[in-house]
């Protein structure tokens, strides 16, 4: 479909990129004019691709469309207008021009919160549900027919930024692409917006963001978080305008002890405490504000309000002066509208945005040898002079402004007062959990760790309890396809259970493990807890399996090597072992599925990570009535895949891991052809330097063939037919393998999905998705795909031993 994209920002850029990946032709991009010499990301991306880019400052004057603007648009011949994050008023001559019309993204569940500040008002009103709408554009204000909506839960301390980053941005991009897909398929609905529940409030501006103190604490909190960052909720106090940020209702255990901050109109004075500024609603409930912006634009921790700022400027050494000039150059690059960066130059008043904060932090980290620097530091020191002073203090290890603030829980025992932190510890700071969630910590002296009732040996009585203990020294052997992820999966559980670990990375991919070793030093992990031994499996892996002091082996790799390790573990010291081995995961695609999604996810199930994926769909069973259509769509998508450098963002398909594996894939395909399977596309090495193998599709694959039974571990899709409606037969075929790592089903029939997932003999079953693993969900195989679990609570049990203790009393 020929599409015109009208919008801006990173959101517009991502939608544009995804539409092109879907195969649509973007005939033109319309974005906003450059600001301070900086082009919008959407325009930059389109220019790289050679797509025509237009930057009209306006589309109409006094309500009338500009003829030359409309003419330039019409010359492109768009069939659909897609408006992601469009801030301009587009005339109906353009909106109605394409045969499919125009669709717009809106960050609310229309008809609620129509207007430009929809996200703000979602939070200000304390809505429990938020989300976005994609609607058909009309000449009203967000009043067109609805096409698609998705919702999410609003967390108690969500801000505009957290809600946008967590849901509205990533899911909104997917939603725009899904909407275009529905239009292309002729399935897009047009649902009239109801009038019931419709709201409209004006755009939030600084002058209207003043806090009304005659409200409950929760309402004031919603007002502050709804205005967070922009425009900022403010009040007058101490003779100046104070703007509040980072509000929370999680005040459990906080005592309002500190220095009073009188606030005109407030029910009670605020209290500046060691953890922030406590404010009160007219219901006497508390809320806590973590940051305050002063009238001059400087942001400070609320807990420091009465402490003032350190006025003693540090005198810089010659080396620090050189560093300061390098940082000054970085500011000049980021702020092109500033002729000269002085000490008084303010980063944000000079036109910088949040994306520039990220860039500045990364550049300064590089200049200062990975100095610990956070985005928040830029907000705390907005002028160049203050920023340099902050950097120097950090480099000298004398960063007094950023002392760790700890909200202790106190308990008096044996005439001593114990002070214990109770928050999360992240990045060197104690912080609340997302959503301010907490749980009770049980004192083992008077609580319950686990007891077991047993028969009493009269006249005495008995008590039996169990203890889970670390195993000791654990060996972890990881593969080359996910060198860092596999290390993380296993090492996290191993260390959390209290063990020490010896990690043997794959011989061809040792560098990420060694980088991890470096990070453990920076993290302060005691010496000897984590050990990395690169080398061959036959030498290092075998030594770990044989060593009498190693009490557990966690292995991911081939079934053949797994059997050898299991034997060595038994012969050496009967050490505990968990194995995640090979797979030939079946993916069953029924005719009643969402075909577009099945094609998309079927591609991912095979070609993700170039097929070097233990749970890759080793064989696809496609129901007869949709078989040919499925194959046709897959081949169309395969031909769109860009093969190249994996560090290039446009690349869909990178090289195989090493040359020996590439040769194995060539031989695998040759054998498939020799046995009579139909090679639809691919099957060869790409004629270019590097270990690139073509994405490959085989059809007419019969159960007896080598490629139907053996794992390729590469980008080779194996497709077999099954008769319409014959569920039990296809299940029998899917289970006729000694592997049982993963499996998948695509169907709209919930009864069929539940029946098939019950019958499939695999440790993981994906329904209408694939490759979707989560750290909380156990992962591991059946049969010769191994035993034991990674991830989830079950993973901890792999690195613990259970001791039974029995008392007689």
């Amino acid at each position: 479909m020929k599409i015109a994209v009208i919008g801006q920002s990173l959101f517009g850029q991502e939608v544009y990129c995804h539409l092109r990946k879907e195969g649509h032709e973007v005939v033109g991009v319309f974005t906003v004019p450059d600001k301070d010499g900086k082009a919008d990301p959407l325009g930059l991306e389109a220019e790289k691709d050679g797509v025509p880019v237009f930057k009209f400052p306006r589309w109409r004057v006094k309500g009338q469309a500009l003829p030359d603007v409309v003419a330039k648009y019409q010359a492109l011949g768009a069939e659909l207008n897609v408006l992601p994050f469009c801030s301009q008023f587009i005339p109906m001559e353009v909106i109605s021009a394409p045969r499919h019309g125009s669709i717009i993204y809106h960050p609310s569940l229309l008809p609620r919160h129509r207007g430009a500040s929809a996200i703000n008002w979602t939070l200000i009103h304390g809505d429990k549900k938020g989300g976005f709408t994609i609607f058909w554009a009309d000449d009203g204000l967000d009043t067109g027919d609805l096409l698609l909506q998705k919702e999410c839960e609003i967390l108690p301390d969500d801000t505009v930024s957290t809600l946008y980053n967590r849901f509205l941005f990533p899911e909104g991009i997917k939603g725009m692409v899904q909407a275009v897909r529905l239009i292309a398929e002729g399935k897009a609905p047009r649902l009239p917006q109801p009038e019931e529940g419709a709201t409209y409030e004006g755009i939030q501006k600084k002058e209207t963001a003043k806090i009304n103190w005659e409200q409950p604490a929760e309402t004031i909190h919603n007002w502050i978080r709804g205005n967070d960052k922009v425009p900022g909720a403010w009040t007058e106090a101490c003779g100046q305008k104070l703007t509040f940020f980072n509000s929370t209702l999680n005040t459990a255990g906080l005592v309002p002890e500190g220095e009073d901050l009188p606030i005109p109109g407030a029910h009670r004075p605020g209290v500046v405490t060691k953890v922030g500024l406590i404010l009160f609603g007219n219901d006497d409930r508390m809320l806590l504000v973590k940051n305050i912006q002063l009238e001059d634009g400087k942001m400070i921790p609320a807990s420091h309000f009465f402490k003032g700022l350190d006025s003693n400027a540090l005198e810089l050494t010659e080396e620090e002066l050189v560093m300061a000039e390098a940082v000054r150059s970085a500011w000049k690059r980021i702020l092109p509208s500033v002729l000269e960066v002085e000490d008084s130059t303010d980063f944000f008043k000079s036109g910088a945005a949040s994306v520039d904060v990220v860039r500045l932090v990364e550049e300064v980290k590089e200049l200062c040898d990975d100095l610990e620097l956070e985005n928040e530091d830029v907000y705390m020191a907005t002028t160049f002079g203050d920023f340099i002073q902050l950097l120097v203090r950090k480099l000298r290890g004398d960063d007094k402004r950023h002392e760790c603030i700890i909200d202790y829980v106190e308990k008096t025992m044996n005439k001593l007062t114990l002070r214990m932190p109770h928050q999360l510890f992240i990045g060197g700071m104690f912080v609340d959990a997302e959503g301010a969630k907490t749980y009770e910590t049980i004192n083992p002296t008077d609580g319950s760790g686990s007891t077991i009732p047993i028969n009493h040996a009269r006249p005495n009585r008995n008590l039996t309890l169990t203890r889970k203990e670390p195993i000791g020294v654990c060996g972890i052997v990881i593969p080359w396809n996910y060198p860092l992820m596999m290390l993380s999966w296993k090492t996290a559980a191993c260390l959390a259970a209290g063990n020490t670990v010896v990690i043997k990375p794959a011989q061809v991919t040792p560098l990420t493990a060694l980088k991890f070793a470096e990070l453990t030093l920076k993290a302060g992990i005691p010496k000897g807890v984590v050990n990395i031994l690169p080398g061959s499996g036959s030498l290092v892996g075998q030594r770990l399996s044989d060593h009498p002091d190693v009490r557990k082996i966690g292995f991911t790799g081939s079934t053949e090597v797994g059997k050898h390790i299991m034997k060595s573990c038994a012969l050496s010291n009967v050490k505990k072992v968990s194995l995640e081995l090979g797979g030939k995961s079946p993916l069953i695609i029924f005719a009643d599925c969402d075909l577009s999604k099945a094609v998309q996810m079927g591609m991912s199930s095979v070609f993700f990570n170039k097929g070097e994926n233990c749970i890759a769909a080793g064989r696809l069973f496609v129901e007869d009535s949709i078989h040919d259509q499925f194959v046709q769509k897959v081949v169309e998508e395969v031909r769109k895949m860009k093969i190249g450098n994996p560090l290039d963002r446009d690349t869909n398909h990178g090289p195989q891991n090493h040359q020996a594996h590439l040769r194995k894939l060539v031989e695998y395909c040759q054998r498939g052809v020799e046995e009579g399977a139909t090679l639809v596309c691919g099957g060869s090495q790409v004629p270019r330097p590097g270990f690139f193998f073509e994405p490959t599709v085989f059809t007419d694959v019969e159960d007896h063939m080598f490629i139907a039974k053996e794992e390729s571990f590469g980008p080779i899709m194996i497709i077999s037919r099954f008769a319409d409606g014959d569920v039990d037969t296809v299940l029998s075929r899917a289970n006729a393998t000694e592997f049982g790592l993963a499996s998948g089903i695509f169907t709209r029939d919930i009864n069929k999905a539940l029946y098939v997932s019950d019958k499939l003999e695999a440790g993981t079953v994906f329904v209408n998705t694939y490759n979707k693993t989560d750290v909380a969900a156990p992962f591991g195989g059946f049969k010769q795909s191994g035993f034991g679990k990674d991830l989830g609570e079950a993973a901890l049990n792999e690195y613990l031993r259970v001791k039974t203790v029995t008392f007689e009393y």
Side-chain angles (χ1 to χ4, degrees), residues 111-128:
R112 187 159 173 78
H113 304 311
R114 291 172 175 159
S117 292
I119 314 177
N120 302 72
W121 290 107
T122 297
L123 299 173
I124 289 169
H125 281 273
D127 291 354
K128 303 303 181 187

mmCIF file with all atom_site columns, all heavy atoms in Angstrom, residues 111-128:
data_model
loop_
_atom_site.group_PDB
_atom_site.id
_atom_site.type_symbol
_atom_site.label_atom_id
_atom_site.label_alt_id
_atom_site.label_comp_id
_atom_site.label_asym_id
_atom_site.label_entity_id
_atom_site.label_seq_id
_atom_site.pdbx_PDB_ins_code
_atom_site.Cartn_x
_atom_site.Cartn_y
_atom_site.Cartn_z
_atom_site.occupancy
_atom_site.B_iso_or_equiv
_atom_site.pdbx_formal_charge
_atom_site.auth_seq_id
_atom_site.auth_comp_id
_atom_site.auth_asym_id
_atom_site.auth_atom_id
_atom_site.pdbx_PDB_model_num
ATOM 1   N N   . PRO A 1 111 ? -13.690 8.021  23.871 1.00 0.00 ? 111 PRO A N   1
ATOM 2   C CA  . PRO A 1 111 ? -13.773 9.485  23.789 1.00 0.00 ? 111 PRO A CA  1
ATOM 3   C C   . PRO A 1 111 ? -13.269 10.228 25.020 1.00 0.00 ? 111 PRO A C   1
ATOM 4   O O   . PRO A 1 111 ? -13.342 11.446 25.066 1.00 0.00 ? 111 PRO A O   1
ATOM 5   C CB  . PRO A 1 111 ? -15.282 9.712  23.615 1.00 0.00 ? 111 PRO A CB  1
ATOM 6   C CG  . PRO A 1 111 ? -15.894 8.609  24.404 1.00 0.00 ? 111 PRO A CG  1
ATOM 7   C CD  . PRO A 1 111 ? -15.007 7.415  24.163 1.00 0.00 ? 111 PRO A CD  1
ATOM 8   N N   . ARG A 1 112 ? -12.767 9.503  26.029 1.00 0.00 ? 112 ARG A N   1
ATOM 9   C CA  . ARG A 1 112 ? -12.287 10.172 27.243 1.00 0.00 ? 112 ARG A CA  1
ATOM 10  C C   . ARG A 1 112 ? -10.983 10.906 26.961 1.00 0.00 ? 112 ARG A C   1
ATOM 11  O O   . ARG A 1 112 ? -10.113 10.402 26.260 1.00 0.00 ? 112 ARG A O   1
ATOM 12  C CB  . ARG A 1 112 ? -12.095 9.137  28.342 1.00 0.00 ? 112 ARG A CB  1
ATOM 13  C CG  . ARG A 1 112 ? -11.751 9.726  29.720 1.00 0.00 ? 112 ARG A CG  1
ATOM 14  C CD  . ARG A 1 112 ? -12.077 8.720  30.814 1.00 0.00 ? 112 ARG A CD  1
ATOM 15  N NE  . ARG A 1 112 ? -11.634 9.146  32.129 1.00 0.00 ? 112 ARG A NE  1
ATOM 16  C CZ  . ARG A 1 112 ? -12.261 10.037 32.888 1.00 0.00 ? 112 ARG A CZ  1
ATOM 17  N NH1 . ARG A 1 112 ? -13.378 10.607 32.423 1.00 0.00 ? 112 ARG A NH1 1
ATOM 18  N NH2 . ARG A 1 112 ? -11.802 10.376 34.079 1.00 0.00 ? 112 ARG A NH2 1
ATOM 19  N N   . HIS A 1 113 ? -10.871 12.107 27.493 1.00 0.00 ? 113 HIS A N   1
ATOM 20  C CA  . HIS A 1 113 ? -9.660  12.931 27.394 1.00 0.00 ? 113 HIS A CA  1
ATOM 21  C C   . HIS A 1 113 ? -9.290  13.277 25.955 1.00 0.00 ? 113 HIS A C   1
ATOM 22  O O   . HIS A 1 113 ? -8.174  13.038 25.506 1.00 0.00 ? 113 HIS A O   1
ATOM 23  C CB  . HIS A 1 113 ? -8.474  12.240 28.087 1.00 0.00 ? 113 HIS A CB  1
ATOM 24  C CG  . HIS A 1 113 ? -8.733  11.898 29.510 1.00 0.00 ? 113 HIS A CG  1
ATOM 25  N ND1 . HIS A 1 113 ? -9.244  12.795 30.414 1.00 0.00 ? 113 HIS A ND1 1
ATOM 26  C CD2 . HIS A 1 113 ? -8.576  10.736 30.197 1.00 0.00 ? 113 HIS A CD2 1
ATOM 27  C CE1 . HIS A 1 113 ? -9.374  12.208 31.593 1.00 0.00 ? 113 HIS A CE1 1
ATOM 28  N NE2 . HIS A 1 113 ? -8.993  10.953 31.484 1.00 0.00 ? 113 HIS A NE2 1
ATOM 29  N N   . ARG A 1 114 ? -10.254 13.775 25.225 1.00 0.00 ? 114 ARG A N   1
ATOM 30  C CA  . ARG A 1 114 ? -9.907  14.338 23.919 1.00 0.00 ? 114 ARG A CA  1
ATOM 31  C C   . ARG A 1 114 ? -9.008  15.558 24.131 1.00 0.00 ? 114 ARG A C   1
ATOM 32  O O   . ARG A 1 114 ? -9.090  16.235 25.139 1.00 0.00 ? 114 ARG A O   1
ATOM 33  C CB  . ARG A 1 114 ? -11.186 14.762 23.185 1.00 0.00 ? 114 ARG A CB  1
ATOM 34  C CG  . ARG A 1 114 ? -12.060 13.595 22.746 1.00 0.00 ? 114 ARG A CG  1
ATOM 35  C CD  . ARG A 1 114 ? -13.384 14.094 22.215 1.00 0.00 ? 114 ARG A CD  1
ATOM 36  N NE  . ARG A 1 114 ? -14.196 13.008 21.676 1.00 0.00 ? 114 ARG A NE  1
ATOM 37  C CZ  . ARG A 1 114 ? -15.498 13.063 21.513 1.00 0.00 ? 114 ARG A CZ  1
ATOM 38  N NH1 . ARG A 1 114 ? -16.156 14.159 21.849 1.00 0.00 ? 114 ARG A NH1 1
ATOM 39  N NH2 . ARG A 1 114 ? -16.158 12.053 21.009 1.00 0.00 ? 114 ARG A NH2 1
ATOM 40  N N   . GLY A 1 115 ? -8.164  15.830 23.156 1.00 0.00 ? 115 GLY A N   1
ATOM 41  C CA  . GLY A 1 115 ? -7.324  17.012 23.255 1.00 0.00 ? 115 GLY A CA  1
ATOM 42  C C   . GLY A 1 115 ? -5.848  16.683 23.382 1.00 0.00 ? 115 GLY A C   1
ATOM 43  O O   . GLY A 1 115 ? -5.448  15.535 23.521 1.00 0.00 ? 115 GLY A O   1
ATOM 44  N N   . ALA A 1 116 ? -5.017  17.731 23.396 1.00 0.00 ? 116 ALA A N   1
ATOM 45  C CA  . ALA A 1 116 ? -3.572  17.568 23.273 1.00 0.00 ? 116 ALA A CA  1
ATOM 46  C C   . ALA A 1 116 ? -2.896  17.095 24.558 1.00 0.00 ? 116 ALA A C   1
ATOM 47  O O   . ALA A 1 116 ? -1.808  16.552 24.518 1.00 0.00 ? 116 ALA A O   1
ATOM 48  C CB  . ALA A 1 116 ? -2.947  18.891 22.819 1.00 0.00 ? 116 ALA A CB  1
ATOM 49  N N   . SER A 1 117 ? -3.496  17.307 25.717 1.00 0.00 ? 117 SER A N   1
ATOM 50  C CA  . SER A 1 117 ? -2.874  16.897 26.978 1.00 0.00 ? 117 SER A CA  1
ATOM 51  C C   . SER A 1 117 ? -3.529  15.653 27.547 1.00 0.00 ? 117 SER A C   1
ATOM 52  O O   . SER A 1 117 ? -3.684  15.509 28.760 1.00 0.00 ? 117 SER A O   1
ATOM 53  C CB  . SER A 1 117 ? -2.955  18.044 27.998 1.00 0.00 ? 117 SER A CB  1
ATOM 54  O OG  . SER A 1 117 ? -2.141  19.121 27.615 1.00 0.00 ? 117 SER A OG  1
ATOM 55  N N   . ALA A 1 118 ? -3.904  14.728 26.661 1.00 0.00 ? 118 ALA A N   1
ATOM 56  C CA  . ALA A 1 118 ? -4.662  13.550 27.084 1.00 0.00 ? 118 ALA A CA  1
ATOM 57  C C   . ALA A 1 118 ? -3.931  12.729 28.141 1.00 0.00 ? 118 ALA A C   1
ATOM 58  O O   . ALA A 1 118 ? -4.535  12.247 29.093 1.00 0.00 ? 118 ALA A O   1
ATOM 59  C CB  . ALA A 1 118 ? -4.991  12.682 25.868 1.00 0.00 ? 118 ALA A CB  1
ATOM 60  N N   . ILE A 1 119 ? -2.608  12.550 27.978 1.00 0.00 ? 119 ILE A N   1
ATOM 61  C CA  . ILE A 1 119 ? -1.868  11.736 28.951 1.00 0.00 ? 119 ILE A CA  1
ATOM 62  C C   . ILE A 1 119 ? -1.896  12.413 30.323 1.00 0.00 ? 119 ILE A C   1
ATOM 63  O O   . ILE A 1 119 ? -2.105  11.771 31.345 1.00 0.00 ? 119 ILE A O   1
ATOM 64  C CB  . ILE A 1 119 ? -0.395  11.521 28.527 1.00 0.00 ? 119 ILE A CB  1
ATOM 65  C CG1 . ILE A 1 119 ? -0.282  11.132 27.070 1.00 0.00 ? 119 ILE A CG1 1
ATOM 66  C CG2 . ILE A 1 119 ? 0.267   10.475 29.405 1.00 0.00 ? 119 ILE A CG2 1
ATOM 67  C CD1 . ILE A 1 119 ? 1.136   10.983 26.596 1.00 0.00 ? 119 ILE A CD1 1
ATOM 68  N N   . ASN A 1 120 ? -1.697  13.732 30.318 1.00 0.00 ? 120 ASN A N   1
ATOM 69  C CA  . ASN A 1 120 ? -1.716  14.461 31.586 1.00 0.00 ? 120 ASN A CA  1
ATOM 70  C C   . ASN A 1 120 ? -3.035  14.266 32.317 1.00 0.00 ? 120 ASN A C   1
ATOM 71  O O   . ASN A 1 120 ? -3.074  13.966 33.508 1.00 0.00 ? 120 ASN A O   1
ATOM 72  C CB  . ASN A 1 120 ? -1.499  15.959 31.342 1.00 0.00 ? 120 ASN A CB  1
ATOM 73  C CG  . ASN A 1 120 ? -0.203  16.258 30.633 1.00 0.00 ? 120 ASN A CG  1
ATOM 74  O OD1 . ASN A 1 120 ? -0.066  15.977 29.446 1.00 0.00 ? 120 ASN A OD1 1
ATOM 75  N ND2 . ASN A 1 120 ? 0.758   16.825 31.331 1.00 0.00 ? 120 ASN A ND2 1
ATOM 76  N N   . TRP A 1 121 ? -4.133  14.415 31.573 1.00 0.00 ? 121 TRP A N   1
ATOM 77  C CA  . TRP A 1 121 ? -5.445  14.356 32.216 1.00 0.00 ? 121 TRP A CA  1
ATOM 78  C C   . TRP A 1 121 ? -5.788  12.942 32.667 1.00 0.00 ? 121 TRP A C   1
ATOM 79  O O   . TRP A 1 121 ? -6.525  12.760 33.639 1.00 0.00 ? 121 TRP A O   1
ATOM 80  C CB  . TRP A 1 121 ? -6.513  14.908 31.284 1.00 0.00 ? 121 TRP A CB  1
ATOM 81  C CG  . TRP A 1 121 ? -6.385  16.389 31.104 1.00 0.00 ? 121 TRP A CG  1
ATOM 82  C CD1 . TRP A 1 121 ? -5.937  17.056 30.009 1.00 0.00 ? 121 TRP A CD1 1
ATOM 83  C CD2 . TRP A 1 121 ? -6.650  17.387 32.099 1.00 0.00 ? 121 TRP A CD2 1
ATOM 84  N NE1 . TRP A 1 121 ? -5.905  18.414 30.237 1.00 0.00 ? 121 TRP A NE1 1
ATOM 85  C CE2 . TRP A 1 121 ? -6.350  18.644 31.520 1.00 0.00 ? 121 TRP A CE2 1
ATOM 86  C CE3 . TRP A 1 121 ? -7.100  17.349 33.419 1.00 0.00 ? 121 TRP A CE3 1
ATOM 87  C CZ2 . TRP A 1 121 ? -6.506  19.843 32.216 1.00 0.00 ? 121 TRP A CZ2 1
ATOM 88  C CZ3 . TRP A 1 121 ? -7.267  18.549 34.105 1.00 0.00 ? 121 TRP A CZ3 1
ATOM 89  C CH2 . TRP A 1 121 ? -6.959  19.777 33.502 1.00 0.00 ? 121 TRP A CH2 1
ATOM 90  N N   . THR A 1 122 ? -5.255  11.936 32.003 1.00 0.00 ? 122 THR A N   1
ATOM 91  C CA  . THR A 1 122 ? -5.452  10.559 32.467 1.00 0.00 ? 122 THR A CA  1
ATOM 92  C C   . THR A 1 122 ? -4.919  10.400 33.888 1.00 0.00 ? 122 THR A C   1
ATOM 93  O O   . THR A 1 122 ? -5.545  9.761  34.740 1.00 0.00 ? 122 THR A O   1
ATOM 94  C CB  . THR A 1 122 ? -4.729  9.573  31.522 1.00 0.00 ? 122 THR A CB  1
ATOM 95  O OG1 . THR A 1 122 ? -5.321  9.654  30.223 1.00 0.00 ? 122 THR A OG1 1
ATOM 96  C CG2 . THR A 1 122 ? -4.837  8.144  32.017 1.00 0.00 ? 122 THR A CG2 1
ATOM 97  N N   . LEU A 1 123 ? -3.755  11.005 34.160 1.00 0.00 ? 123 LEU A N   1
ATOM 98  C CA  . LEU A 1 123 ? -3.140  10.911 35.476 1.00 0.00 ? 123 LEU A CA  1
ATOM 99  C C   . LEU A 1 123 ? -3.792  11.880 36.460 1.00 0.00 ? 123 LEU A C   1
ATOM 100 O O   . LEU A 1 123 ? -4.033  11.541 37.618 1.00 0.00 ? 123 LEU A O   1
ATOM 101 C CB  . LEU A 1 123 ? -1.643  11.192 35.375 1.00 0.00 ? 123 LEU A CB  1
ATOM 102 C CG  . LEU A 1 123 ? -0.854  10.218 34.491 1.00 0.00 ? 123 LEU A CG  1
ATOM 103 C CD1 . LEU A 1 123 ? 0.586   10.695 34.336 1.00 0.00 ? 123 LEU A CD1 1
ATOM 104 C CD2 . LEU A 1 123 ? -0.864  8.821  35.074 1.00 0.00 ? 123 LEU A CD2 1
ATOM 105 N N   . ILE A 1 124 ? -4.084  13.092 35.996 1.00 0.00 ? 124 ILE A N   1
ATOM 106 C CA  . ILE A 1 124 ? -4.674  14.099 36.876 1.00 0.00 ? 124 ILE A CA  1
ATOM 107 C C   . ILE A 1 124 ? -6.012  13.623 37.427 1.00 0.00 ? 124 ILE A C   1
ATOM 108 O O   . ILE A 1 124 ? -6.342  13.842 38.594 1.00 0.00 ? 124 ILE A O   1
ATOM 109 C CB  . ILE A 1 124 ? -4.827  15.432 36.116 1.00 0.00 ? 124 ILE A CB  1
ATOM 110 C CG1 . ILE A 1 124 ? -3.449  16.065 35.866 1.00 0.00 ? 124 ILE A CG1 1
ATOM 111 C CG2 . ILE A 1 124 ? -5.714  16.406 36.897 1.00 0.00 ? 124 ILE A CG2 1
ATOM 112 C CD1 . ILE A 1 124 ? -3.462  17.224 34.908 1.00 0.00 ? 124 ILE A CD1 1
ATOM 113 N N   . HIS A 1 125 ? -6.789  12.939 36.601 1.00 0.00 ? 125 HIS A N   1
ATOM 114 C CA  . HIS A 1 125 ? -8.093  12.438 37.039 1.00 0.00 ? 125 HIS A CA  1
ATOM 115 C C   . HIS A 1 125 ? -7.985  11.151 37.857 1.00 0.00 ? 125 HIS A C   1
ATOM 116 O O   . HIS A 1 125 ? -8.994  10.638 38.333 1.00 0.00 ? 125 HIS A O   1
ATOM 117 C CB  . HIS A 1 125 ? -8.993  12.193 35.826 1.00 0.00 ? 125 HIS A CB  1
ATOM 118 C CG  . HIS A 1 125 ? -9.610  13.450 35.285 1.00 0.00 ? 125 HIS A CG  1
ATOM 119 N ND1 . HIS A 1 125 ? -10.792 13.960 35.758 1.00 0.00 ? 125 HIS A ND1 1
ATOM 120 C CD2 . HIS A 1 125 ? -9.199  14.311 34.330 1.00 0.00 ? 125 HIS A CD2 1
ATOM 121 C CE1 . HIS A 1 125 ? -11.091 15.073 35.106 1.00 0.00 ? 125 HIS A CE1 1
ATOM 122 N NE2 . HIS A 1 125 ? -10.134 15.312 34.228 1.00 0.00 ? 125 HIS A NE2 1
ATOM 123 N N   . GLY A 1 126 ? -6.769  10.610 37.978 1.00 0.00 ? 126 GLY A N   1
ATOM 124 C CA  . GLY A 1 126 ? -6.603  9.384  38.756 1.00 0.00 ? 126 GLY A CA  1
ATOM 125 C C   . GLY A 1 126 ? -7.236  8.174  38.109 1.00 0.00 ? 126 GLY A C   1
ATOM 126 O O   . GLY A 1 126 ? -7.675  7.241  38.792 1.00 0.00 ? 126 GLY A O   1
ATOM 127 N N   . ASP A 1 127 ? -7.285  8.156  36.762 1.00 0.00 ? 127 ASP A N   1
ATOM 128 C CA  . ASP A 1 127 ? -7.869  7.017  36.060 1.00 0.00 ? 127 ASP A CA  1
ATOM 129 C C   . ASP A 1 127 ? -7.115  5.739  36.402 1.00 0.00 ? 127 ASP A C   1
ATOM 130 O O   . ASP A 1 127 ? -5.886  5.737  36.495 1.00 0.00 ? 127 ASP A O   1
ATOM 131 C CB  . ASP A 1 127 ? -7.821  7.237  34.540 1.00 0.00 ? 127 ASP A CB  1
ATOM 132 C CG  . ASP A 1 127 ? -8.760  8.335  34.082 1.00 0.00 ? 127 ASP A CG  1
ATOM 133 O OD1 . ASP A 1 127 ? -9.523  8.847  34.918 1.00 0.00 ? 127 ASP A OD1 1
ATOM 134 O OD2 . ASP A 1 127 ? -8.731  8.677  32.886 1.00 0.00 ? 127 ASP A OD2 1
ATOM 135 N N   . LYS A 1 128 ? -7.844  4.655  36.561 1.00 0.00 ? 128 LYS A N   1
ATOM 136 C CA  . LYS A 1 128 ? -7.209  3.358  36.834 1.00 0.00 ? 128 LYS A CA  1
ATOM 137 C C   . LYS A 1 128 ? -6.779  2.655  35.552 1.00 0.00 ? 128 LYS A C   1
ATOM 138 O O   . LYS A 1 128 ? -5.937  1.769  35.576 1.00 0.00 ? 128 LYS A O   1
ATOM 139 C CB  . LYS A 1 128 ? -8.177  2.448  37.611 1.00 0.00 ? 128 LYS A CB  1
ATOM 140 C CG  . LYS A 1 128 ? -8.657  3.052  38.925 1.00 0.00 ? 128 LYS A CG  1
ATOM 141 C CD  . LYS A 1 128 ? -7.503  3.408  39.850 1.00 0.00 ? 128 LYS A CD  1
ATOM 142 C CE  . LYS A 1 128 ? -8.015  3.990  41.164 1.00 0.00 ? 128 LYS A CE  1
ATOM 143 N NZ  . LYS A 1 128 ? -6.906  4.506  42.008 1.00 0.00 ? 128 LYS A NZ  1
#
